[in-house]
Amino acid sequence: MSRLIEKPNIAMSITSTGSQLSSTVVTGSAIADDTPAPAEDEDGHRSATGIQTPVASVEQNAKSTSVRNKVDQVLISLISGAAAGALAKTTIAPLDRTKINFQIRKDVPFSFKASLNYLQQTYAKEGVLALWRGNSATMARIVPYAAIQFTSHEQWRRVLQVDQNGANTKGRRFIAGSLAGITSQSLTYPLDLARARMAVTDRYTGYRTLRQVFSKIWVEEGPRTLFRGYWATVLGVIPYAGTSFFTYETLKREYHEIIGNTKPNALVSLAFGAAAGVAGQTASYPLDIVRRRMQTTRVNINEPQRSLTILGTLIKIYREEGIKNGFYKGLSMNWIKGPIAVGISFSTYDLIKAWLIELSHLKRGRAEN
């Protein structure tokens, strides 16, 4: 009897459970029915706005993050390049001024003894700061020049797909460096001419300020003079920048393949940059002589006649001074200052860039937390 009594209870339990399930389904259906349906347009088509909104928001955030990252990369390259160029040029400013003075003079043969005498005479006559005369013009030029050069090099590497996916694209590596040099030189050339004018004159008979250089040239010689020697500079910067960047990037690549470390230390970067400086200076030095002669024609007392063309300047130098004493005059000085400047520039750029990237990541991580 007890068993017979228990069976209805089981049936009642099942029935009760079923009713609960049924009520749950009904309730769920009611909830589903209460959910607003997708809106219909005038033609009666349902839109999926409610579904696409989160996806569109995610895509928009992704695009915003991508743009922010690209802007950060450009800013980091600009700041790193500017700092690297300023430090390198300030370090070798006295040697640079000495080199330019010998480059534009055909009556004084170059030697280390003569260069030391020039430094001593300048110091005795005008003081120690005279050794950095024209450095303000150099900074006004080199800060934007180096910033644009390093930044444009990064962009040209991306455009030309240099060494992507493990490829060894040596030709593109050289072209990217050359295009970076052309880009930066074209945008800052008048400042380079002003720096050369200030370097070969003293404060008493020449130009006192950078502003005076531009105003005097504009009034006395015309605005076209600000770009005198431009094409000689462009022809020279193609082998110089191309060889420099190519040598430095190639040495870093070989270092990575041999050592396995993608980031060489500061001393190794300095050595690689020095090698790049020697190669670049040697490849482009004759055209560097030509552009300096063309830039300083009006203020150089040893050049009474103007040499307005590249070919005319080349012929004049060859006839009067020869190949060694003309086109390679002061090259040994460049082999000293060039490696120092380029080594400091490349190694400082890599160091500051890595530091700024790390700082940017830390800042972004704090913002997300």
Side-chain angles (χ1 to χ4, degrees):
M1 288 294 293
S2 62
R3 291 180 180 176
L4 292 175
I5 293 172
E6 289 176 356
K7 287 181 180 180
N9 292 336
I10 295 172
M12 289 175 65
S13 175
I14 294 173
T15 303
S16 174
T17 305
S19 65
Q20 290 177 358
L21 290 173
S22 177
S23 65
T24 304
V25 172
V26 171
T27 305
S29 300
I31 294 172
D33 291 340
D34 291 339
T35 303
E40 294 183 357
D41 55 17
E42 295 178 355
D43 297 331
H45 297 101
R46 292 186 176 183
S47 65
T49 306
I51 299 174
Q52 289 183 348
T53 301
V55 177
S57 178
V58 171
E59 291 180 353
Q60 186 176 3
N61 290 336
K63 288 181 180 179
S64 177
T65 303
S66 177
V67 171
R68 195 183 303 115
N69 289 338
K70 289 180 180 179
V71 171
D72 288 345
Q73 290 176 4
V74 171
L75 289 176
I76 287 173
S77 294
L78 286 171
I79 295 171
S80 303
L87 179 61
K89 280 295 184 179
T90 300
T91 303
I92 53 94
L95 298 177
D96 207 25
R97 185 182 178 187
T98 303
K99 182 207 71 171
I100 292 175
N101 274 275
F102 279 99
Q103 279 184 329
I104 67 168
R105 297 180 64 180
K106 62 183 180 182
D107 59 328
V108 180
F110 174 82
S111 65
F112 281 108
K113 184 178 180 179
S115 62
L116 290 175
N117 287 336
Y118 172 80
L119 290 171
Q120 290 174 354
Q121 290 174 8
T122 303
Y123 171 74
K125 183 180 178 181
E126 302 179 61
V128 66
L129 292 180
L131 298 175
W132 275 267
R133 176 172 168 76
N135 197 50
S136 58
T138 301
M139 290 298 102
R141 168 189 171 264
I142 200 61
V143 168
Y145 175 85
I148 293 170
Q149 185 181 48
F150 280 108
T151 304
S152 61
H153 181 250
E154 298 284 349
Q155 302 306 315
W156 283 119
R157 281 178 59 87
R158 187 175 295 107
V159 170
L160 297 175
Q161 299 181 350
V162 177
D163 297 340
Q164 288 189 0
N165 301 321
N168 188 8
T169 54
K170 295 180 179 179
R172 295 179 187 178
R173 206 179 301 154
F174 179 86
I175 293 172
S178 297
L179 290 174
I182 292 173
T183 303
S184 56
Q185 193 67 256
S186 298
L187 294 175
T188 61
Y189 184 76
L191 292 167
D192 184 44
L193 183 140
R195 187 274 298 249
R197 290 286 184 98
M198 291 189 73
V200 299
T201 57
D202 57 48
R203 59 181 302 181
Y204 306 106
T205 60
Y207 307 97
R208 290 180 177 273
T209 63
L210 181 62
R211 181 180 178 181
Q212 191 180 44
V213 177
F214 287 114
S215 61
K216 270 194 172 184
I217 291 175
W218 188 278
V219 173
E220 297 176 4
E221 304 176 57
R224 292 183 60 184
T225 304
L226 293 172
F227 286 89
R228 181 183 294 164
Y230 169 76
W231 289 110
T233 302
V234 169
L235 291 175
V237 82
I238 290 174
Y240 173 72
T243 303
S244 297
F245 278 106
F246 171 81
T247 303
Y248 185 70
E249 295 294 332
T250 301
L251 289 173
K252 287 204 304 183
R253 183 184 178 90
E254 295 296 327
Y255 178 86
H256 172 61
E257 292 180 356
I258 296 173
I259 306 299
N261 185 5
T262 56
K263 295 181 180 180
N265 58 46
L267 289 177
V268 174
S269 295
L270 190 66
F272 289 168
V278 171
Q281 293 283 355
T282 305
S284 63
Y285 195 77
L287 285 167
D288 190 45
I289 292 280
V290 172
R291 74 168 175 135
R292 291 305 183 198
R293 296 289 178 92
M294 295 180 72
Q295 286 176 340
T296 60
T297 297
R298 184 68 179 261
V299 298
N300 186 8
I301 60 175
N302 297 294
E303 294 287 344
Q305 298 179 355
R306 296 186 182 184
S307 302
L308 299 180
T309 65
I310 298 173
L311 182 60
T313 306
L314 286 169
I315 293 173
K316 185 177 178 64
I317 293 172
Y318 175 73
R319 286 178 177 175
E320 296 181 357
E321 303 171 65
I323 296 176
K324 181 181 177 182
N325 295 327
F327 295 121
Y328 291 94
K329 187 176 186 179
L331 177 59
S332 55
M333 173 67 76
N334 254 29
W335 281 345
I336 296 175
K337 80 175 192 64
I340 296 173
V342 179
I344 291 174
S345 182
F346 278 124
S347 59
T348 302
Y349 174 78
D350 284 345
L351 186 65
I352 295 178
K353 182 182 175 182
W355 179 72
L356 288 176
I357 289 174
E358 185 178 354
L359 188 65
S360 176
H361 289 166
L362 290 174
K363 184 178 179 181
R364 193 174 303 163
R366 289 179 181 176
E368 291 176 355
N369 293 332

